[in-house]
């Protein structure tokens, strides 16, 4: 069955097929397990609630579920001698009983059934010892030992087959059977359910226990969306228990049982699986929707395992720490735990440390061992050894930060296990897997809790620099990634939208300058030039792109030139990853205020980007298109800040090549197209009369506009179409473009009109309406027919602005209405006498009331509170629109008597509509103020 499932030939056609298979596997998962005598259902059905098994009447089953109560004296003596030969062992059952709080059920007793007789306890001990073929000749074992071995193999094979099912069946289908294998909250007076954690706690075979944990890890992997519905932050409901509360109770029970398993487990291989399973659980549970307190017990219990004698256990414990500091970071509970002094961590409390390490003094250098010369000396190991510190928040760097820095750079005391051999490039340091995992924990810690890590900024930089001097490429790579996270954390503090806490606790620019000066003077440059390791070069490019702009401008000139020169050179690398990372870094640098006004740098960067935009790698082209869009953003900023001087110095030929390359890229994949159309809009906005007057620009401009029109009308993703609408609106802002008279004008207006009326995505409709309200003069809307069609389309779109088949789009209705009202009022302010007949036909009795009510709603600002602000609408200012309405009324009233008789009738109709609109708006506003 396992082979059949792994081949991928089986598909669950109906729930009945899968339910039958799962029922068989569940029955065999518990086959011969001591103390388990439960009738399993023949079929498991998908249900959100647990399916309890029935307990049959007791039947003696001496062949499977019990052992002979009488043993020979010689056998008992032999067992005692064998037990003494194995040495003293910490009892897993005792550890579980000490911690078993919150419901002592059968599932919670680790590695054996509850029993009141002394004989049964001795039998359990013998079960835990006998699990290999070599013990068949033992006087104690015989037939029963062989039978128990075969039963364990059946359970192990069933779990392996279940793991194959998990890998071959869609997760959303398996979630229906979740309650059959995952524990729920322990009930009072009800029989405990048999789950995967029952096996992890009770099975005497370490391999079977490890198998159950592997299956549970596979079930938990990728379950974030399913578990996101769990919630228990509110008061408990008495009438009924919602599914969110049931799922939250199951999550809490998983934490409790896995923590019991962690305390009871003695096998290193199985212990590794416990830690991995906990890491999967932590990575997928929505702790921000649950009551605090789940992580604190786990946090305290896993700390001693970082010093376990086995390398894989140490690595797995660090992986779990990484999951804890990256889960929905920053979590208040984890933030407090990171600040907790080491004296409160119970690091040396008896019964909490692992049995193998309870009496060892860890992380102190042995005699004759010296600290490596490249290791930073700015911190001490006092926190790692557990000296007393004042109650409350620790004074220096957080203990996890110190621990991981020490694991990366400080010497180890001795070889912990045979698996350490050859694990590190230096015999003095920890094995490479431990150091790599410690570096990853540091990166997660810096990313999620930078405010705690920033006090050790320079020390962390030294750790990264020391990693870059080593021979192991993996250590070097993780060193550069840590540098990138440090740079990103600093940039986040200086973002305009940073909260007040981040702004007040910023790392000073002077310290940032010192930090990067030290890094650039170190081995990072060698990593950038290391062609033997392309991945390292790629990460180093990302590190360079994480320099704070304010700090870059204060770096020595030679450092600035060095960064730019290296990045420009790497865009010609033969490796696609390096090329993509370098062109992306240039796209970041082009936005730096100290560089964007340098015409030579902008030109060199543009040439490098255009070269990579023709690369055969889609990833390189996507990064190049993003950088090109950033560069064209810089052109617009310079046009407004520097003025004509920058525009005149910029090469016409380079501008023409950028226009052609962007138009070509707009036909590429959506990843490329999204930024290519953004660049086209900026370039069309940037063009000046001198360039537009040259014949060589005429065809490229037309091709660029048509590329935007085809993208608006095409079947690209909504993000791409949104960008295309934005780009057209951006192009319309160029007063020198022949909008309204050029042949492409009608196509552009027609595409935007189609989208604003019929597109299913409201964000795209909002941005198209914004583009239609950009033209600043009547002539730019084209002839009378074109103006009329745009007006009528906007009016129809406003009428049907609340009609949608997708409920998720409904949240953007208010923003869409506001943008459509602004566009209509804008066109009214520009209309001429020849446009009045078309306006009058729109204001029929059937429509006038609807349009008026929606316009009043907008002018009084009622839609303002419902707009989300995330859909790309222009900033709404109802006060400005009311002033615009008054100015429009005055302008149209001045036309009375200066037009023909027919035109006067049309004008009267429009004036009547606007006057009534103004009057109703004032009345409504007065009522609202009186009510308030």
């Amino acid at each position: 069955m396992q082979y059949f499932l792994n081949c991928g030939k089986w598909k669950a056609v109906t729930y009945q097929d899968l339910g039958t298979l799962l029922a068989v596997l569940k029955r065999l998962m518990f086959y011969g397990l001591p103390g388990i005598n439960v009738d399993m259902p023949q079929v498991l059905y998908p249900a959100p609630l647990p399916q309890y098994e029935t307990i049959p009447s007791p039947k003696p089953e001496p062949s499977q579920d019990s052992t002979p109560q009488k043993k020979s004296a010689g056998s008992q003596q032999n067992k005692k001698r064998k037990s003494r030969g194995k040495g003293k062992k910490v009892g897993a059952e005792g550890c579980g009983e000490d911690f078993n709080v919150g419901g002592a059920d059968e599932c919670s007793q680790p590695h054996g059934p509850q029993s009141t007789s002394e004989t049964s306890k001795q039998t359990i001990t013998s079960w835990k010892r006998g699990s290999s073929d070599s013990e068949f000749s033992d006087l104690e074992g015989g037939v029963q030992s062989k039978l128990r071995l075969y039963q364990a193999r059946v359970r192990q094979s069933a779990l392996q087959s279940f793991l194959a099912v998990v890998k071959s069946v869609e997760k959303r289908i398996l979630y229906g059977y979740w309650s059959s294998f995952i524990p729920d909250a322990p009930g009072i007076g009800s029989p405990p359910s048999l789950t995967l954690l029952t096996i992890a706690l009770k099975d005497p075979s370490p391999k079977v226990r490890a198998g159950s944990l592997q299956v549970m890890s596979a079930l938990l992997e990728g379950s974030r969306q399913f578990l996101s519905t769990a919630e228990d932050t509110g008061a408990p409901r008495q009438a009924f228990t919602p599914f969110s509360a049931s799922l939250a109770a199951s999550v809490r029970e998983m934490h409790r049982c896995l923590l019991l398993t962690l305390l009871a487990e003695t096998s290193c291989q199985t212990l590794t699986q416990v830690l991995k399973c906990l890491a999967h659980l932590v990575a997928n549970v929505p702790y921000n929707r649950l009551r605090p307190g789940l992580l604190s017990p786990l946090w305290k219990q896993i700390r001693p395992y970082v010093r376990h004698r086995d390398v894989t256990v140490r690595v797995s414990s660090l992986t779990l720490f990484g999951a804890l500091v990256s889960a929905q970071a920053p979590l208040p509970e984890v933030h407090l735990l990171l600040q907790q002094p080491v004296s409160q961590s119970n690091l040396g409390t008896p019964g909490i440390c692992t049995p193998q390490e309870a009496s060892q003094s860890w992380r102190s250098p042995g005699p004759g061992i010296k600290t490596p010369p490249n290791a930073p000396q700015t911190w001490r190991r006092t926190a790692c050894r557990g000296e007393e510190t004042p109650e409350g928040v620790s004074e220096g760097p957080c203990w996890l930060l110190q621990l991981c820095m020490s694991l990366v750079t400080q010497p180890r005391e001795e070889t912990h296990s045979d698996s350490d051999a050859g694990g590190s490039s230096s015999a003095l340091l920890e094995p490479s897997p431990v150091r790599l995992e410690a570096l990853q924990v540091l990166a997660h810690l810096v990313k999620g809790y930078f405010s705690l890590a920033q006090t050790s900024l320079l020390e962390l930089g030294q750790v990264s620099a020391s990693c870059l001097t080593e021979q192991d490429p993996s250590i070097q790579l993780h060193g550069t990634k840590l540098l990138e996270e440090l740079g990103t954390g600093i940039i986040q503090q200086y973002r305009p939208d940073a909260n007040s806490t981040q702004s007040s606790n910023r790392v000073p620019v002077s310290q940032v300058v010192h930090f990067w000066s030290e890094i650039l003077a170190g081995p990072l440059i060698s990593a950038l030039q290391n062609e033997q390791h392309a991945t390292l070069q790629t990460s180093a490019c990302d590190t360079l792109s994480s320099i704070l702009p304010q700090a870059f401008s204060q770096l020595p000139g030679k450092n600035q030139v060095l960064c730019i020169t290296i990045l420009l050179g790497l865009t010609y690398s033969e490796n696609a990853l390096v090329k993509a990372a370098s062109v992306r870094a240039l796209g970041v640098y082009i936005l730096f205020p100290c560089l964007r006004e340098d015409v030579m740098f902008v030109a060199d960067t543009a040439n490098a980007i255009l070269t990579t935009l023709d690369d055969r790698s889609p990833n390189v082209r996507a990064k190049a298109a993003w950088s090109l869009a950033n560069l064209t953003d810089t052109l617009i900023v310079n046009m407004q800040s520097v003025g004509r001087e920058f525009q005149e110095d910029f090469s016409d030929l380079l501008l023409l090549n950028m226009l052609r390359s962007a138009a070509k890229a707009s036909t590429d994949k959506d990843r490329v197209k999204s930024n290519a159309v953004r660049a086209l809009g900026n370039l069309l906005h940037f063009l000046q009369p001198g360039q537009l007057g040259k014949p060589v620009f005429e065809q490229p401009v037309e091709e660029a506009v048509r590329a935007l029109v085809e993208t608006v009308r095409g079947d690209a993703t909504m993000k791409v179409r949104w960008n295309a609408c934005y780009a057209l609106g951006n192009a319309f802002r160029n007063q020198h473009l022949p909008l309204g008279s050029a042949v492409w004008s009608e196509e552009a207006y027609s595409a935007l009109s189609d989208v604003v009326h019929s597109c299913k995505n409201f964000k795209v409709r909002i941005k198209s309406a914004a583009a239609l309200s950009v033209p600043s003069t009547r002539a730019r809307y084209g002839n009378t027919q074109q103006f009329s069609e745009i007006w009528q389309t906007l009016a129809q779109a406003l009428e049907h602005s609340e009609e949608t088949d997708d409920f998720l789009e409904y949240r953007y209705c208010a923003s869409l209405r506001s943008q459509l009202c602004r566009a209509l009022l804008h066109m009214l302010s520009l209309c001429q006498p020849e446009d009045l007949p078309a306006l009058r036909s729109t204001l029929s009795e059937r429509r006038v009331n609807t349009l008026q009510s929606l316009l009043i709603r907008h002018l009084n600002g009622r839609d303002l509170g419902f707009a989300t602000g995330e859909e790309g609408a222009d900033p709404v200012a109802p006060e400005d629109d009311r002033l615009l309405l008054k100015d429009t009324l005055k302008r149209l009233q001045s036309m009375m008597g200066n037009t023909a008789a027919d035109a006067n009738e049309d004008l009267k109709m429009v004036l009547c509509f606007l006057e009534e609109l103004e009057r109703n708006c004032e009345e409504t506003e007065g009522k609202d103020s009186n009510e308030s």
Side-chain angles (χ1 to χ4, degrees):
M1 176 60 71
Q2 181 187 348
Y3 175 79
F4 184 69
L5 292 169
N6 285 332
C7 288
K9 298 179 180 179
W10 178 76
K11 297 291 182 183
V13 180
T14 63
Y15 289 124
Q16 183 73 20
D17 296 337
L18 181 59
T20 303
L21 175 61
L22 292 178
V24 171
L25 293 178
K26 183 171 184 180
R27 183 165 63 253
L28 296 179
M29 281 159 45
F30 294 93
Y31 180 75
L33 184 62
I36 301 299
N37 186 21
V38 177
D39 286 342
M40 300 286 183
Q42 296 298 315
V43 180
L44 295 179
Y45 297 98
L49 299 177
Q51 302 173 22
Y52 292 103
E53 295 80 10
T54 58
I55 301 179
S57 56
K59 293 186 292 185
E61 296 185 12
S63 62
Q64 293 183 8
D65 295 334
S66 63
T67 55
Q69 298 293 322
K70 297 181 180 180
K71 296 183 182 287
S72 63
S75 177
Q76 293 289 346
Q77 293 172 3
N78 187 28
K79 182 172 73 173
K80 292 180 180 178
R81 287 196 301 268
K82 190 170 182 180
S83 177
R84 286 195 298 270
K86 284 181 175 288
K88 186 176 180 180
K89 242 173 127 177
V90 176
E93 291 84 350
C95 188
E97 289 169 2
D98 290 342
F99 187 79
N100 188 14
V101 293
D105 52 37
E106 183 182 9
C107 176
S108 301
Q109 303 304 318
H111 304 176
Q114 283 185 328
S115 176
T116 56
S117 66
E118 185 64 24
T119 306
S120 297
K121 293 181 180 178
Q122 294 174 358
T123 304
I124 295 169
T125 307
S126 68
W127 283 345
K128 293 176 65 177
R129 289 205 313 269
S131 60
S132 65
D133 291 320
S134 62
E135 296 180 2
F136 288 162
S137 59
D138 196 345
L139 294 176
E140 174 199 356
V143 177
Q144 290 299 326
S145 296
K146 197 170 186 178
L147 178 61
R148 285 191 294 273
L149 173 66
Y150 286 155
Q151 290 170 343
R153 287 178 176 175
V154 171
R155 298 195 297 274
Q156 185 178 357
S157 297
L159 288 167
Q160 290 171 347
S161 297
F162 189 15
L163 183 61
V165 171
V166 174
K167 293 180 178 179
S168 60
V169 177
E170 291 184 48
K171 287 290 182 68
R172 62 181 182 84
I173 296 177
L174 284 175
Y175 291 148
Y177 301 90
W178 184 277
S179 57
S180 298
F181 300 97
I182 302 297
D184 62 331
I188 300 176
S190 59
S193 59
L194 300 181
T195 66
L196 290 167
L197 286 175
T198 308
I199 301 173
L201 285 162
K202 294 190 60 176
D203 201 293
S205 169
K207 292 183 178 180
V208 179
R209 298 198 299 271
S212 68
L213 293 163
Q214 285 179 325
V215 175
M216 186 153 181
S217 294
L219 285 172
L220 288 170
E221 187 178 6
S223 62
R224 182 176 301 174
Q225 185 175 2
F226 173 68
L227 293 178
S228 64
T229 58
E231 184 176 15
D232 66 353
T233 54
R237 303 187 183 186
Q238 303 296 332
F240 71 99
T241 303
F243 177 71
S244 60
S246 300
L247 194 56
S250 178
V251 167
R252 291 188 174 277
E253 183 66 5
M254 280 189 281
H255 280 78
R256 189 183 73 88
C257 292
L258 282 173
L259 194 51
L260 282 173
T261 309
L262 179 69
L263 294 171
E265 190 54 65
T266 56
S267 166
C268 291
Q269 290 77 11
T270 311
L271 187 58
T272 301
Q273 294 301 326
V274 177
L275 293 168
K276 287 182 178 179
C277 188
L278 279 167
H280 282 294
L281 178 65
V282 169
N284 291 282
V285 168
Y287 292 101
N288 51 1
R289 294 170 58 89
L290 303 175
R291 295 192 307 273
L294 274 178
L295 296 177
S296 298
L298 176 61
W299 186 278
K300 294 175 182 178
Q301 296 301 331
I302 63 173
R303 288 191 60 170
Y305 291 95
V306 181
R307 62 183 181 181
H308 196 275
R309 62 183 179 84
D310 188 81
V311 172
T312 56
V313 175
R314 301 208 298 278
V315 172
S316 299
S317 63
L318 287 171
T319 303
L320 180 51
F321 270 123
L324 285 166
V325 297
S326 59
Q328 296 103 48
L331 283 175
E333 184 177 0
V334 175
H335 194 277
L336 290 174
L337 290 169
L338 287 169
Q339 291 180 296
Q340 189 180 63
V342 179
S343 60
Q344 297 180 11
S345 67
N346 297 326
L347 194 59
T349 302
I352 298 298
C353 291
T354 58
Q356 297 85 351
E357 303 290 335
S359 60
Q360 293 184 6
S361 176
W362 178 70
R363 304 286 321 152
S364 58
I369 295 181
K370 297 181 179 180
T371 302
N374 59 349
Q377 299 294 327
T378 48
W379 66 87
R380 295 293 180 264
R381 300 189 195 93
T382 55
C384 298
R385 295 199 299 267
E387 275 80 348
E388 291 295 328
T389 56
E391 293 292 325
V393 178
S394 58
E395 295 180 353
C398 74
W399 65 267
L400 185 57
L401 195 72
Q402 289 183 316
L403 170 65
C404 291
M405 288 194 295
S406 181
L407 286 172
V408 173
T409 59
Q410 297 297 311
R412 54 178 170 165
E413 179 184 359
E414 58 183 8
T415 301
H416 289 271
S417 69
D418 294 336
S419 58
D420 285 2
S424 176
S425 59
S426 173
L428 297 177
L429 300 175
E430 286 283 347
S432 289
V434 175
R435 301 178 68 211
L436 289 173
E437 205 63 41
L439 283 169
Q440 290 195 46
V441 174
L442 283 175
H444 291 313
L445 185 59
V446 169
K447 183 177 181 179
Y449 301 88
F450 184 77
S451 60
L452 297 178
Q454 70 181 62
T455 56
S456 303
L457 179 64
L458 298 180
E459 290 84 351
L460 288 168
Q462 293 175 30
V463 170
S464 300
S466 68
C467 291
L468 286 170
T469 61
E470 299 193 18
Q471 299 298 319
D472 188 347
S474 298
I475 297 290
Q476 292 178 316
L477 178 63
H478 283 77
T480 57
K481 289 187 178 297
L482 177 57
L483 278 177
E484 182 186 356
E485 292 296 347
L486 288 168
T488 304
I490 296 171
I491 291 175
Q492 295 290 336
Q493 289 185 329
Y494 281 84
R495 287 180 58 181
D497 57 346
N499 57 47
S500 57
T501 304
Q502 288 179 314
S503 301
S504 60
N505 296 326
R506 287 175 177 172
V507 179
V509 175
S510 58
Q511 186 178 351
V512 180
V513 172
H514 177 66
F515 171 79
W516 283 113
S517 298
E518 294 290 329
I519 295 300
L520 293 174
L524 180 63
I525 303 303
S526 300
L528 285 163
Q529 298 171 338
N530 190 347
E531 297 181 358
Q532 302 300 319
H533 300 289
T535 308
L536 179 60
Q537 280 185 295
T538 302
S539 182
C541 287
D542 294 336
T543 300
L544 280 188
S545 67
S546 65
I547 300 178
L548 182 70
Q550 295 90 321
F552 187 89
S553 62
Q554 298 184 26
L555 288 174
K558 61 179 183 179
N559 285 349
Q560 295 185 26
V561 173
L562 182 63
C563 293
I564 294 170
T565 304
I566 289 177
L567 290 176
L568 286 171
L570 289 177
T571 58
Y572 296 95
S573 172
E574 296 181 359
N575 186 279
L577 291 175
V578 177
K579 192 181 296 186
S582 59
V583 76
R584 178 195 171 276
L586 287 173
V588 174
Y589 278 25
I590 200 67
L591 299 176
F592 286 6
C594 62
L595 295 177
R596 67 186 179 206
E597 296 179 5
D598 186 340
V599 177
M600 294 302 297
F601 170 72
V602 175
D604 290 342
T605 302
N607 284 317
I609 290 172
L610 294 181
T611 301
T612 53
L613 199 57
D614 289 329
D615 195 84
R616 61 184 179 182
S617 168
N619 185 46
V620 173
R621 296 198 303 273
K623 300 296 185 184
W626 180 80
S627 296
L628 179 62
N630 283 3
L631 190 146
T632 56
D633 287 341
T634 294
L635 297 181
I636 301 300
V637 173
N638 288 340
M639 183 176 67
Q640 298 168 352
S641 61
V642 182
R644 296 185 60 86
E645 182 181 352
F646 181 88
Q647 294 172 285
E648 292 171 356
D649 292 341
F650 201 78
S651 168
D652 287 357
L653 180 59
L654 180 57
L655 193 60
L656 189 64
N657 290 336
M658 292 169 65
L659 202 59
R660 287 172 173 166
S661 296
K664 180 182 176 182
S666 67
T667 62
D668 206 330
K669 298 179 181 295
D670 283 356
R671 291 177 59 199
V672 181
K673 186 183 300 185
S674 176
N675 287 296
V677 295
R678 182 161 69 97
L680 280 176
N682 285 328
L683 290 169
L684 290 171
H685 186 183
F686 184 77
L687 290 173
Q688 297 304 300
Q691 295 153 345
L692 291 171
K694 296 179 180 179
V696 69
F697 274 90
E698 183 176 350
Q699 185 178 355
V701 168
E702 185 175 342
E703 290 175 354
V705 176
R706 288 202 168 124
L708 294 178
V709 169
E710 290 175 5
T711 307
V712 170
R713 284 179 166 163
D715 56 353
T717 61
M718 293 304 171
K719 177 183 177 181
V720 175
R721 297 178 71 186
W722 187 96
N723 277 355
C725 292
Y726 174 84
L728 279 175
N730 196 8
F732 290 174
R733 298 181 190 279
N734 188 346
Q735 300 299 319
H736 308 297
L737 273 180
L739 182 62
S741 59
V743 292
W744 44 260
S745 298
E746 184 178 352
E747 298 177 24
Y749 282 127
S750 176
L752 291 171
S753 299
D754 290 343
V755 168
V756 80
H757 180 261
S758 60
C759 184
K760 294 181 179 179
N761 187 280
F762 276 25
K763 287 186 177 182
V764 177
R765 293 173 68 175
I766 291 168
K767 189 48 65 177
S768 61
L772 287 172
S773 62
V774 167
S776 56
T777 63
R778 169 62 186 83
R780 297 178 67 79
Y781 277 103
N783 56 33
T784 304
Q785 181 181 356
Q786 183 70 57
F787 187 89
S788 172
E789 289 176 355
I790 297 173
W791 167 268
Q792 290 178 3
T793 301
L794 289 171
Q796 291 175 6
L798 182 59
E799 273 189 283
H800 304 286
S801 59
E802 295 186 357
E803 297 176 6
T804 177
D805 296 332
D806 188 354
F807 179 75
L808 295 177
E809 297 296 328
Y810 193 78
R811 55 183 168 168
Y812 303 122
C813 280
S815 297
L816 176 59
R817 286 195 303 267
S818 293
Q819 193 61 60
L820 289 169
C821 289
R822 296 198 72 194
L824 287 170
L825 292 171
H826 174 71
M827 292 188 72
L828 274 171
S829 69
L830 299 176
C831 68
Q832 296 300 317
E834 59 269 21
D835 302 320
L836 295 176
L839 301 185
R840 179 182 179 181
S841 64
T842 307
L843 302 176
S844 62
E845 291 184 4
R846 183 175 62 87
R847 285 184 170 180
V848 68
N849 293 332
T850 303
L851 292 176
Q852 196 170 86
S853 63
L854 292 172
L855 284 168
I856 292 172
R857 184 184 181 93
H858 165 69
L859 291 169
N860 286 335
R862 292 187 178 180
D863 283 334
L864 201 58
F866 298 96
T868 62
E870 300 175 354
E871 59 280 346
D874 289 342
V876 179
E879 298 82 5
D880 295 339
D881 286 339
R882 286 200 291 269
L883 291 175
L884 182 63
L885 176 61
K886 292 181 181 296
D887 293 340
T888 302
L889 265 172
K890 292 179 181 178
R891 187 178 66 85
L892 293 179
Q893 287 169 352
S894 66
M895 292 183 185
M896 290 294 295
N898 299 328
T899 56
D902 293 341
N904 271 334
E905 292 298 322
D906 297 330
L907 182 57
K908 287 179 181 179
M909 178 70 178
V910 174
L911 278 173
C912 180
F913 171 77
L914 293 179
E915 289 170 352
E916 188 176 358
L917 177 63
E918 184 183 32
R919 184 171 59 255
N920 290 335
C921 183
E922 292 175 352
E923 291 177 357
T924 306
E925 186 178 11
K927 290 180 181 178
D928 292 342
S929 61
N930 290 334
E931 290 176 359
S932 60

